[in-house]
C-alpha cells in the first residue's frame, strides 16, 4: 500500500500533464513529449495528475488478481484512498475519470525495444457490477498486455503517502515528485526542459520558473 508501482513512460513525460484548466484538450494520434528513451503516441481526452493517481489506485486493487480479471471496489474506498473529500462532486469526478481512461488509445515503445504497449488504460468499466458475493460494486478490467510496461528497470515505486500529502491541486509538485522518483540518481534538468516535459499550461517560462 505504501509504495505503488507505475511504469516510467507514464511519469517521464507529458502523458499525464500538470494542467488544471476546466477544459481538457482532445488529442488524436499525437506524439507526446517524453525523455528520448520512450516514444508515446496518444489519442483521447487529455490526461492529468489526478488521472494518474486514480489509475495507480486501481492498479493497487489488482494485487492478487490475474491481470484482465474484474477488479471490484466501492467508490467510497477509492475516494478515501485518493485522499479526496467525500462529496457528491468527487463521486461524479471519479466516474468521469474512469470513463475518460477507458476511451484512451496509446502506443508506447522503448528505444531499446525491450518493452512496449498498445491499447487503453482501462479495458472495461461498470458502476453497477455484481461481485462474487452478490453485492453491487464498481468494476474495472485492465488489458492483460499492459504488464509488458512493468519490467524491473522501467517501473518506479511511488511513495504513496507523500503523493497524497502533496494534494491534488499542486500538479507541478506531483509531476516533479513522480519524475524524480523515477531516477536512482537525480539528474540536473533545465527548467525549460521540465516545462516542456510536463506540458504545462503556463506559456511564459519565467512564470513557470
Amino acid at each position: 500500500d505504501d509504495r505503488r508501482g507505475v511504469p516510467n513512460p507514464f511519469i517521464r513525460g507529458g502523458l499525464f500533464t500538470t494542467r488544471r484548466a476546466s477544459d481538457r484538450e482532445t488529442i488524436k494520434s499525437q506524439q507526446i513529449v517524453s525523455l528520448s528513451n520512450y516514444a508515446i503516441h496518444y489519442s483521447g481526452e487529455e490526461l492529468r495528475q489526478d488521472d494518474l493517481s486514480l489509475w495507480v489506485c486501481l492498479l493497487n486493487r489488482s494485487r492478487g488478481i490475474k491481470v484482465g480479471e474484474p477488479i471490484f471496489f466501492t467508490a467510497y474506498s477509492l475516494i478515501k484512498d485518493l485522499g479526496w473529500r467525500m462529496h457528491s462532486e468527487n463521486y461524479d469526478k471519479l466516474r468521469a475519470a474512469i470513463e475518460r481512461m477507458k476511451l484512451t488509445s496509446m502506443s508506447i515503445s522503448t528505444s531499446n525495444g525491450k518493452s512496449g504497449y498498445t491499447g487503453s488504460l482501462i479495458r472495461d468499466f461498470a458502476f453497477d457490477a455484481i461481485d462474487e458475493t452478490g453485492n453491487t460494486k464498481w468494476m474495472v478490467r485492465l488489458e492483460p498486455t499492459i504488464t509488458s510496461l512493468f519490467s524491473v528497470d522501467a517501473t518506479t515505486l511511488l511513495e504513496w503517502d507523500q503523493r497524497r500529502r502533496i494534494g491534488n491541486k499542486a500538479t507541478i509538485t506531483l509531476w516533479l515528485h513522480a519524475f524524480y522518483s523515477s531516477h536512482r540518481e537525480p539528474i540536473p534538468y533545465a527548467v525549460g526542459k521540465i516545462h516542456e516535459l510536463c506540458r504545462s499550461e503556463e506559456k511564459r517560462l519565467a512564470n513557470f520558473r
Side-chain angles (χ1 to χ4, degrees):
D1 274 343
D2 59 341
R3 302 191 68 189
R4 303 192 179 185
V6 59
N8 286 347
F10 287 12
I11 56 179
R12 288 187 171 180
L15 183 60
F16 294 88
T17 77
T18 61
R19 298 175 185 177
R20 292 181 56 191
S22 57
D23 294 332
R24 291 178 184 250
E25 180 185 5
T26 299
I27 300 167
K28 185 175 181 180
S29 300
Q30 177 178 315
Q31 181 163 1
I32 301 297
V33 61
S34 64
L35 294 185
S36 58
N37 47 337
Y38 301 108
I40 303 172
H41 289 81
Y42 176 76
S43 293
E45 197 173 358
E46 174 192 323
L47 299 172
R48 298 181 178 176
Q49 289 300 304
D50 52 356
D51 296 311
L52 177 60
S53 294
L54 171 55
W55 192 82
V56 169
C57 282
L58 292 172
L59 190 73
N60 190 54
R61 277 158 175 71
S62 72
R63 291 181 306 175
I65 300 173
K66 185 178 179 180
V67 182
E69 293 296 311
I71 305 165
F72 294 101
F73 57 93
T74 63
Y76 172 88
S77 69
L78 206 58
I79 289 174
K80 186 177 180 180
D81 194 12
L82 286 161
W84 295 0
R85 286 193 313 122
M86 291 297 170
H87 193 280
S88 59
E89 290 182 0
N90 280 333
Y91 279 84
D92 294 339
K93 177 181 176 180
L94 190 69
R95 180 171 169 178
I98 296 175
E99 289 174 345
R100 174 168 48 252
M101 287 190 284
K102 180 182 181 298
L103 297 174
T104 57
S105 175
M106 64 183 66
S107 174
I108 300 174
S109 59
T110 56
S111 58
N112 60 15
K114 289 185 177 180
S115 61
Y117 173 69
T118 299
S120 176
L121 282 169
I122 293 174
R123 173 193 271 187
D124 294 314
F125 167 53
F127 61 89
D128 56 356
I130 306 299
D131 69 9
E132 60 276 2
T133 63
N135 294 316
T136 302
K137 291 185 178 178
W138 289 22
M139 182 278 295
V140 298
R141 286 194 298 172
L142 304 176
E143 293 287 358
T145 52
I146 206 164
T147 56
S148 62
L149 293 176
F150 286 89
S151 60
V152 173
D153 58 351
T155 300
T156 291
L157 296 177
L158 291 181
E159 295 286 350
W160 186 245
D161 185 56
Q162 288 179 355
R163 186 173 178 90
R164 275 181 43 139
R165 284 189 285 117
I166 289 170
N168 238 14
K169 295 182 179 179
T171 54
I172 295 176
T173 311
L174 288 171
W175 188 92
L176 288 168
H177 176 259
F179 180 74
Y180 277 103
S181 294
S182 74
H183 292 79
R184 190 170 284 107
E185 297 293 336
I187 299 172
Y189 288 94
V191 174
K193 184 63 175 178
I194 292 173
H195 177 262
E196 176 192 9
L197 286 171
C198 74
R199 294 174 61 211
S200 170
E201 60 194 338
E202 177 54 65
K203 301 303 181 185
R204 295 187 67 245
L205 185 60
N207 290 347
F208 177 79
R209 189 189 309 276

